[in-house]
Each structure stands twice: as structure tokens, then as C-alpha cells.
Amino acid sequence: MAWAEKVYKVRDGKQTKQFTWKVNYKKPDGTKGTASGFPTKKTAEDWGNAQEAAIRAGRWVDPSLMQRTFGSWAREWMQGQAPRGTTTTRRWDRLEADIFPEWENVPMAQITWYDAESWANSLTIDDVSVTHALSLMSSILNGAVDAKHLLVNPLAGRRRRRTAAAKEALQAKEEAKENQYAPPEVVLQLARRAGPLDGMHILTVAFTGLRWGESIGLHRDNTLLTRSEHYDGAQFECPVLRVVEEVAEYQSRKPDGTKGPLVVALEPVKTKESKRRIDVPPFLADLLRQHMEQTSTPQLFMTRSGVFWRRGNFGRQVMKPVSGGKKPAAAVRGHAKKEGWEPIMPGLTMRAMRHTHDTYQAQIGVKPILEFEQAGHKYPGIKGRYQHPTPQMRRERLEGLQEIYERAMRALGWTEIWPAKPTTTQDPPK
């Protein structure tokens, strides 16, 4: 049973007649635990008895651990995690940029949902990043509960109520997504303007739905393999792209969060659904064969110097001028005159090309189970377990994509995407 004793206040080095109460109780390891500052003997003993009751029930948390700062525990928690490099980098960036400035020195026991929600709604970053910040905080506090540093996670299961400004920003972002799809004629025009090397990259993503890291990590040994399945008493066959790895780009971090060198390297795809074979329509298979004959790099879509593209560089040097237009430049000493061109569809990105492919699949009525498989997504619910793509579904998808391409070529009056003598040239990206 807990017991209490007086603690006299000291002023100018001398004990006064004023006092508070300190409680003593037995901790799980048999040592003495104490807490002070109680106004009466009874409140002190009641608190100590409550601690011993919690210890007997197996639900006790050391009060001293509850006063540990969020930043101290977050760093320990991060060292115990082992996610992919990009995930680690995103977490450290979110902690250092947004979470630590507010919460690093706050005892975990003092964190409340009210304060966390108010802080989140005051951030000026985009809405998705705000949600990620709260989610990361909640995961860290869940770890504190598991480690018996907290009784409960005050953020668990809570849903943020957005302010009017946050709702308006979210709506504006949704409206901006309207430009994340390109009609097939636009895709072909982009491919022609970019030239056979980078244009083939754009075209492939638009008609296969490869993610950015998957596309630049696509190895020639995984290109145009053959899918073979029983169908109508014979074999259904089609060329495929085998997706097993991707190029990750991130700022490496040491276990304590210290920044290391920039990493741009191959690593396995993140989920089992991402590891897949994408069926390739006939026109694209023919173009990829020509591309493989004309290039020698191990990955199909590398820079002209044979290294992996960085996402930002490709966007600035290829996608932005190709889709948004380019101003002409007069000849100056050491530089020849450069021709300009009009915009095609400003604002398009390689992410928009992936959106474009998914939109094409919806347009031609690809069955959901196949649509999800080809995009590298998990089909939700019980149907994802019981339904499977069939050769007939695959054939219909390939025929639909082929028709989209052929219709666009007819609309443009083209017989080939890249004429022997291009009508428009692009300066090679650095």
C-alpha cells in the first residue's frame, strides 16, 4: 500500500512551515516510486494506491516515461523502423519540416487531439501532407503505447475537421487534376515532338500505365516477354512488360536522421500487386522492338549519357517544353538559332500519362479485375480473391488500346509517329 509524507518548502536556504505531500509506492521491479506536489495526504495516497492497482492489473505506465518529450521518443521510434528508403526519407522530412518545430519538446502526456488538430489546420502545406503529418504522429504515439510510455494514443481513430480555407485549397487541387488526362492525339503529338527516345518513354507510359520509377527501371530483359494461356482449345499469347523493380530517388538518412548522399537506384517494387506483367498492344510492341534495336542501355529509358533520369529533370527538360511550348531563340555567339513551337497541352506530366492509361482502360470497358491488375493495384473486397482475368478479357483490352491508337493516327493523318526526317526537333536534354 502506498504511503505519504510531508515535503517542506525551502526559502532562502531555510525550511518553512509550508509543505506539500509526497507519495511512495512500489514499482513492478520492487523499487520505490515517488511523486510529489500533492495538496493533501489523502490525494497523495489515493494516487499512489491507483498506481499499485494498475501495476497489479498489468496496465501501469511509468509516469516518468509519460513525461518524455515527443522528439526524444520519435527519434528512438524511427531508429526501430525498417521501411524502404523513400519512406524513411519522407518521414524524416515531415518530422523536421513540420512536426518537430511544434512538438519536439512537448511531453507526450500533454499532447491532445484538440491541440494536434488546431496545429494541423494552421499548417500552410498542402492538405495531403497535413494528413500525412498527423498520420505519422499517430503512428509514433501508437509506438509509445506499445512501449508502455503512454496509456492511450490521443490521436488514434480521430478524423480531422478541415477549416474553410483548407476545404477551398483541397477543391482547387481537385480542379487542377482535370489536366491529368491527355487525348490519344495529344499523346502522339507529345511523342513526336519529344523524339524517338523520350517520346517512346511518354508513349509507353500512356499505353501501359507504368509508374515513374517502374518506367525508368524497365530493363530490356523484362521487355516483350510472352504471356501464354489456354484459350478456346489453343494458346492465347501476347507480349508483356515484366515489372519487378523500380528506380527510387531519395535523400538517404542515417538511423539518427542525419542526411546522407542522394540515392537514385534500383530497388524491388513496393507491393506484391506492383510486381506484375503488363500486356502490350501490337503497335506498342512493334515500336518497343525498334527502340530496343536502336538503343543499347540496360534500362530502356535512360538519359543520353546512360544514367537514370531524375523525375524533376525529365519534367523540366522534356515534359514542360514538349507540352507547354518553347520560345524561339536568336543565334548568339557560340549558340545556333533555335526554333520554337506552340503549346500542345500545358501542364502535362508523366503522372498524367499514367492517369491517361487508366482513363483509356475505363473508356474501352476493361473489366475491373484486369484493370486493377494491369495498374498494379489490389482489387478490393471478396471479389479480388474470387475473380481472375481471363484471356478473353486480355484480348478485348489489347484490341481496345490498339483501336485508340489507330483512330488517333487516322485523325492526325499520320502513317508513322517519327518520320524519317522529323518535322520538329528538340534539343537533347542534358
Side-chain angles (χ1 to χ4, degrees), residues 77-78 81-95 136 246 248-253 267 270:
W77 183 84
M78 285 291 293
Q81 306 303 300
R84 288 153 50 101
T86 50
T87 302
T88 298
T89 297
R90 282 196 298 268
R91 287 176 175 175
W92 275 116
D93 289 346
R94 190 63 57 218
L95 283 168
L136 177 56
E246 62 185 346
E249 177 184 336
Y250 58 92
Q251 177 75 57
S252 64
R253 297 274 189 160
E267 61 182 35
K270 188 173 183 179

Side-chain angles (χ1 to χ4, degrees), residues 5 10 22 27 35 61 63 74 109 130 140 152 154 176 178 209 254 263 274 282 299 312 331 350 357 399:
E5 57 186 32
V10 175
K22 178 177 76 172
K27 297 171 69 173
V61 172
V130 172
I140 293 171
V152 294
E178 293 178 2
K254 297 178 181 178
V263 175
S274 296
Q299 273 71 32
M350 289 300 277
H357 173 257
E399 290 174 350

Side-chain angles (χ1 to χ4, degrees), residues 141-159:
L141 292 176
N142 275 337
V145 173
D146 293 339
K148 290 195 172 183
H149 285 31
L150 286 177
L151 284 170
V152 294
N153 173 7
L155 276 55
R158 304 303 296 266
R159 185 174 181 178

Side-chain angles (χ1 to χ4, degrees), residues 15-26:
Q15 180 177 298
T16 68
K17 294 182 178 181
Q18 296 178 323
F19 61 86
T20 57
W21 290 89
K22 178 177 76 172
V23 66
N24 303 276
Y25 63 95
K26 185 179 291 186

Side-chain angles (χ1 to χ4, degrees), residues 304-377:
R304 285 155 180 77
S305 58
V307 298
F308 293 131
W309 272 107
R310 293 186 60 185
R311 184 193 293 268
N313 290 345
F314 192 86
R316 287 188 298 272
Q317 298 177 26
V318 180
M319 289 302 295
K320 185 175 180 180
V322 164
S323 65
K326 178 183 173 183
K327 295 180 179 180
V332 295
R333 180 178 296 180
H335 297 278
K337 177 182 178 181
K338 295 181 181 179
E339 300 294 333
W341 53 61
E342 294 298 315
I344 297 176
M345 193 173 178
L348 288 174
T349 63
M350 289 300 277
R351 180 185 293 273
M353 293 301 101
R354 179 166 161 83
H355 285 226
T356 293
H357 173 257
D358 215 34
T359 303
Y360 291 169
Q361 290 197 118
Q363 175 181 315
I364 60 180
V366 177
K367 299 298 186 293
I369 191 66
L370 177 59
E371 184 180 25
F372 274 67
E373 178 212 73
Q374 294 288 283
H377 293 156

Side-chain angles (χ1 to χ4, degrees), residues 56-74:
R56 291 191 296 271
R59 51 181 175 79
W60 180 75
V61 172
D62 190 335
S64 63
L65 294 178
M66 296 176 68
Q67 295 305 312
R68 188 175 181 183
T69 63
F70 177 84
S72 171
W73 168 247

